[in-house]
């Protein structure tokens, strides 16, 4: 316990998810500020997610092959900053598409490898993962609230500068983290990645990861614009995003006890069902503040309990030599689903409207619940 570099690991999550807190609520708003249509916004938001389908697997294989995961994290963080800085050169659609793709290729190299380093430091104490990961949620909250206020006072033209400063924080925190390697397991270390992937329930799990992230497409791409057009101020919208992440933090604090009592399968099933409910509420009743607050509290399930239980499932399903690839595939399938969600919501937002767009998301989450209920085997908590 004493050897665990808690604050060093936590600081990295804080800055990494601060960057997510600056992109998820505000990236589409920035593109709207630049004058792009909803279809073009959906495409630009989808590009980093599409890169998430490819990049983590390349970097994951490299991390497993070389074992130099921390070097990959630091290299990826530096190249993310350098490539994103190209946004100051031009604001045309083609140039922005290139910037989104290039910086995302390096950004998505970082987290899967860092997850392996964190779990290696925990040395089997996977229940403590949530206590470290919650600092990512805190970083998200600080950023989304602060930027919501900043964009009420200043023009969205300062948005790229804010992102560059946060990316610099990721670089500094990565230099502070000590390295660690996953412990070799005799039971599965000799088994190939594809063989472990074919274990009962593993493929079903990964399919549901894609469906869950697809269901988040309208949320991450258009929620801010949706609420702004319903009359909410940017400061209030920032607070509403923060409410969801506060609920996520509380869930992370409770996850060690929840996973000690309930199986991963049951936690995932509950997460998918609550996601289906949440998207219906956001699509149909967001004009009612109390409904909106309740829907944001459900972020505790749609991200908090889902992510923590998913990380534990991946960690126990793959041997030490395949951990990087297992985490990378999780990121890649999440990226695939997220990209599909951003694309379909971009094309349907004006054609079908918010209600039907969020209803499609609800159907995707419910389909994942059905798959988990029928295809994943019950595990002992």
């Amino acid at each position: 316990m004493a050897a665990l570099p808690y604050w060093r690991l936590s600081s990295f999550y804080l800055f990494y998810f601060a960057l997510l807190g600056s992109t998820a609520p505000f990236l589409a708003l920035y593109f709207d500020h630049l004058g792009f249509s909803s279809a073009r916004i959906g495409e630009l938001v989808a590009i980093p997610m599409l890169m998430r389908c490819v990049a983590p697997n390349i970097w994951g294989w490299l991390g497993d092959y070389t074992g130099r995961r921390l070097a990959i994290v630091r290299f990826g963080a530096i190249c993310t900053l350098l490539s994103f800085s190209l946004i100051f050169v031009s604001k045309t659609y083609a140039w922005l598409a290139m910037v989104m793709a290039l910086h995302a290729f390096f950004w998505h190299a970082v987290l899967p490898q860092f997850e392996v380093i964190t779990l290696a430091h925990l040395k089997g104490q996977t229940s403590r993962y949530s206590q470290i990961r919650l600092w990512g949620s805190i970083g998200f909250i600080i950023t989304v609230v602060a930027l919501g206020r900043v964009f009420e006072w200043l023009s969205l033209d300062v948005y790229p500068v804010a992102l560059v400063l946060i990316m610099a924080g990721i670089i500094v925190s990565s230099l502070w983290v000590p390295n660690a390697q996953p412990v070799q397991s005799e039971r599965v270390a000799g088994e190939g990645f594809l063989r472990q992937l074919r274990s009962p329930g593993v493929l079903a799990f990964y399919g549901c990861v894609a469906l869950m992230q697809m269901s988040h497409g309208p949320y991450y791409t258009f929620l801010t614009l949706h609420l702004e057009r319903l009359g909410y101020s940017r400061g209030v919208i920032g607070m509403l995003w923060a409410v969801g992440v506060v609920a996520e933090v509380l869930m992370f604090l409770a996850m060690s006890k929840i996973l000690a009592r309930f199986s991963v399968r049951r936690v995932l099933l509950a997460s998918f069902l609550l996601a289906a409910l949440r998207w219906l509420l956001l699509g149909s009743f967001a004009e009612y503040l109390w409904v909106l607050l309740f829907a944001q509290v459900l972020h505790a399930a749609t991200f908090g309990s889902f992510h923590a239980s998913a990380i534990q499932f991946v960690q126990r399903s793959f041997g030490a030599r395949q951990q990087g690839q297992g985490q990378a595939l999780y990121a890649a399938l999440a990226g695939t689903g997220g990209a599909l969600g951003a694309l379909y919501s971009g094309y349907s937002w004006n054609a079908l409207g918010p209600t039907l767009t969020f209803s499609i998301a609800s159907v995707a989450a419910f389909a994942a619940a059905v798959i988990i209920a029928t295809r994943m085997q019950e595990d002992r908590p």
Side-chain angles (χ1 to χ4, degrees):
M1 290 287 189
L4 179 67
Y6 178 83
W7 292 111
R8 298 187 185 194
L9 296 170
S10 299
S11 69
F12 181 88
Y13 283 101
L14 186 144
F15 279 105
Y16 185 92
F17 285 95
L19 183 57
L20 184 61
S22 63
T23 54
F26 300 116
L27 186 60
L29 189 65
Y30 178 66
F31 292 145
D32 182 70
H33 170 72
L34 295 178
F36 293 109
S37 67
S38 60
R40 299 291 83 78
I41 291 171
E43 290 164 1
L44 287 171
V45 172
I47 288 170
M49 298 179 184
L50 286 170
M51 293 306 297
R52 193 178 176 187
C53 306
V54 179
N57 289 300
I58 295 173
W59 295 108
W61 173 84
L62 187 63
D64 287 340
Y65 181 77
T66 65
R68 302 187 64 185
R69 305 182 196 281
L70 189 56
I72 291 173
V73 169
R74 291 168 176 169
F75 177 77
I78 292 170
C79 290
T80 298
L81 172 59
L82 294 176
S83 55
F84 183 81
S85 296
L86 295 172
I87 198 172
F88 297 108
V89 175
S90 174
K91 301 295 192 299
T92 65
Y93 175 80
W95 187 263
L96 289 174
M98 184 272 292
V99 172
M100 291 296 103
L102 188 59
H103 96 276
F105 178 77
F106 295 107
W107 187 30
H108 293 315
V110 172
L111 186 61
Q113 299 308 307
F114 197 81
E115 298 277 38
V116 176
I117 294 169
T118 299
L119 292 169
H121 277 295
L122 289 171
K123 297 177 182 177
Q125 306 171 60
T126 52
S127 62
R128 295 196 69 196
Y129 167 81
S130 297
Q131 299 169 15
I132 296 172
R133 173 58 182 80
L134 70 86
W135 285 97
S137 303
I138 293 172
F140 188 105
I141 293 168
I142 293 171
T143 307
V144 76
V145 172
L147 289 183
R149 293 299 182 188
V150 166
F151 296 146
E152 282 190 340
W153 303 329
L154 302 175
S155 167
L156 277 162
D157 292 331
V158 304
Y159 178 69
V161 177
L163 266 63
V164 165
L165 292 175
I166 296 169
M167 289 174 182
I170 296 175
I171 295 172
V172 173
S173 63
S174 72
L175 298 176
W176 193 35
V177 174
N179 199 11
Q181 295 291 343
V183 177
Q184 298 294 325
S185 170
E186 294 182 4
R187 183 176 63 88
V188 293
E191 298 180 4
F193 174 72
L194 292 178
R195 181 177 176 182
Q196 295 173 43
L197 189 62
R198 291 193 296 268
S199 300
V202 175
L203 287 174
F205 162 79
Y206 278 113
C208 291
V209 168
L211 285 170
M212 184 62 137
Q213 294 308 312
M214 177 182 170
S215 78
H216 279 73
Y219 177 73
Y220 285 126
T221 310
F222 289 110
L223 180 67
T224 298
L225 290 171
H226 180 45
L227 297 182
E228 193 171 56
R229 286 163 188 170
L230 288 175
Y232 295 95
S233 70
R234 289 174 183 173
V236 170
I237 292 170
M239 294 296 294
L240 287 166
W241 277 88
V243 166
V245 186
V246 168
E248 170 192 313
V249 170
L250 296 176
M251 178 59 75
F252 277 132
L253 290 172
M255 277 308 295
S256 60
K257 293 182 179 179
I258 290 173
L259 288 173
R261 182 173 182 182
F262 299 101
S263 67
V264 168
R265 176 179 175 272
R266 292 186 180 184
V267 174
L268 288 172
L269 179 59
S271 300
F272 292 133
L273 291 173
L274 290 172
L277 172 62
R278 185 188 186 196
W279 308 141
L280 289 177
L281 295 177
L282 287 178
S284 301
F285 304 104
E287 64 269 26
Y288 301 106
L289 182 60
W290 69 272
V291 175
L292 185 55
L293 287 169
F294 176 68
Q296 287 303 88
V297 169
L298 290 180
H299 195 70
T302 63
F303 182 80
S305 62
F306 166 75
H307 180 67
S309 56
I311 288 292
Q312 181 146 327
F313 180 87
V314 173
Q315 194 272 337
R316 78 176 188 205
S317 297
F318 296 95
R321 296 175 185 171
Q322 290 80 31
Q323 280 292 306
Q325 294 174 79
Q327 296 291 349
L329 185 60
Y330 172 66
L333 268 295
T336 302
L340 291 173
L343 286 172
Y344 98 74
S345 60
Y347 296 131
S348 69
W349 194 255
N350 288 333
L352 302 178
T355 299
L356 285 177
T357 301
F358 273 107
S359 295
I360 295 170
S362 181
V363 170
F366 186 76
V370 172
I371 293 171
I372 286 294
T374 56
R375 302 295 298 173
M376 182 178 281
Q377 295 181 346
E378 187 65 53
D379 55 299
R380 290 183 297 176

